[in-house]
Amino acid sequence: MYANSVQDLIDELARLPGVGPKSAQRIAFHLLKLSPDDALRLARAISTVKERVSWCRRCFNIAEGRRDEAQPDHEVECEICADPKRDPTVICVVEEPRDLVAVEKTREFRGKYHVLQGAISPIDGIGPDKLRIRELLARLDREGVKEVILCTNPNIEGDATALYLGTLLKPLPLKVTQVARGLPAGGDLEYADELTLGRALEGRRELVD
Ligand SMILES: [Zn+2]
């Protein structure tokens, strides 16, 4: 229906999360109308993040720079892991880097993080093996962790993930806590306001049988 290159663009846009075929067409035609400079800025922003940004080798947060081409995926460390002023004995477990940002905004937390890069969701075929759980377990002993705070989203997938991790971690010689509810149920951490999330973190409770 369209020139090949336009159809390719629409197809690529339609693969983005939350973008259906109609929105993909709308965005494609918006891009066609932009000046080359404006449109190429977007293209450059995408290629730049793909060149410079990868996952932190320790916590799987977004990490920029110091990438070793010989070992492209595992040689970068994020700013938080590299910060010697942060308490390495407390790890806050979140689903995605955006959740880490939400917790950081509260300014209530001075420990380190672990980003699971998802949540357990059988419907979407995401089991525990697809998350960075093995990597979390490997850190606990190595880094002398004394407390793990479960800070998953207050929805079905987040709760399932916290339950799974709780069962896994409880037998270990460390404290396992979960952020207090009072967060809007069914929501996402990133939409909770800083005060609410800060209080939820402060009012975290230890998991008991
Ligand atoms: Zn990190």
Side-chain angles (χ1 to χ4, degrees):
M1 222 190 288
Y2 299 114
N4 282 344
S5 56
V6 177
Q7 191 59 52
D8 284 350
L9 178 60
I10 294 172
D11 292 345
E12 285 305 317
L13 291 168
R15 293 169 59 188
L16 298 173
V19 180
K22 277 197 179 147
S23 307
Q25 277 191 32
R26 210 173 55 235
I27 299 167
F29 286 108
H30 169 77
L31 293 171
L32 285 176
K33 284 184 208 152
L34 289 179
S35 71
D37 273 359
D38 285 343
L40 289 175
R41 204 177 313 125
L42 172 64
R44 268 195 302 272
I46 295 172
S47 62
T48 304
V49 291
K50 294 314 288 179
E51 271 164 32
R52 291 202 204 145
V53 177
S54 62
W55 307 118
C56 172
R57 67 186 169 92
R58 198 181 293 266
C59 77
F60 298 92
N61 182 22
I62 291 165
E64 184 161 7
R66 288 183 293 148
R67 188 167 179 163
D68 178 353
E69 285 307 322
Q71 293 168 290
D73 288 329
H74 285 280
E75 282 310 306
V76 286
E77 200 167 60
C78 74
E79 282 179 16
I80 293 172
C81 284
D83 184 350
K85 290 199 288 291
R86 306 204 50 139
D87 182 358
T89 67
V90 185
I91 288 186
C92 180
V93 177
V94 294
E95 292 174 23
E96 299 285 355
R98 61 172 186 264
D99 303 320
L100 179 157
V101 171
V103 175
E104 278 299 281
K105 278 192 191 156
T106 68
R107 298 171 168 276
E108 291 280 337
F109 184 65
R110 296 300 299 160
K112 307 241 172 169
Y113 291 91
H114 192 83
V115 182
L116 296 170
Q117 296 192 331
I120 294 173
S121 176
I123 292 174
D124 303 311
I126 302 173
D129 54 311
K130 295 259 172 74
L131 308 177
R132 301 287 187 177
I133 293 176
R134 219 174 305 118
E135 291 87 344
L136 170 66
L137 297 177
R139 290 179 65 186
L140 300 176
D141 194 38
R142 198 175 60 208
E143 297 177 27
V145 176
K146 296 201 179 84
E147 180 180 357
V148 172
I149 305 171
L150 303 175
C151 194
T152 52
N153 284 316
N155 53 31
I156 294 171
E157 294 80 16
D159 286 343
T161 308
L163 191 68
Y164 179 85
L165 285 176
T167 312
L168 208 61
L169 298 174
K170 254 185 281 180
L172 304 178
L174 48 84
K175 199 161 131 187
V176 185
T177 56
Q178 186 168 18
V179 287
R181 302 283 96 168
L183 287 171
D188 278 319
L189 284 183
E190 60 174 325
Y191 300 126
D193 66 90
E194 286 139 41
L195 194 65
T196 309
L197 183 53
R199 281 193 192 136
L201 202 57
E202 210 177 350
R204 64 185 185 267
R205 277 185 222 119
E206 187 158 3
L207 292 192
V208 284
D209 292 303

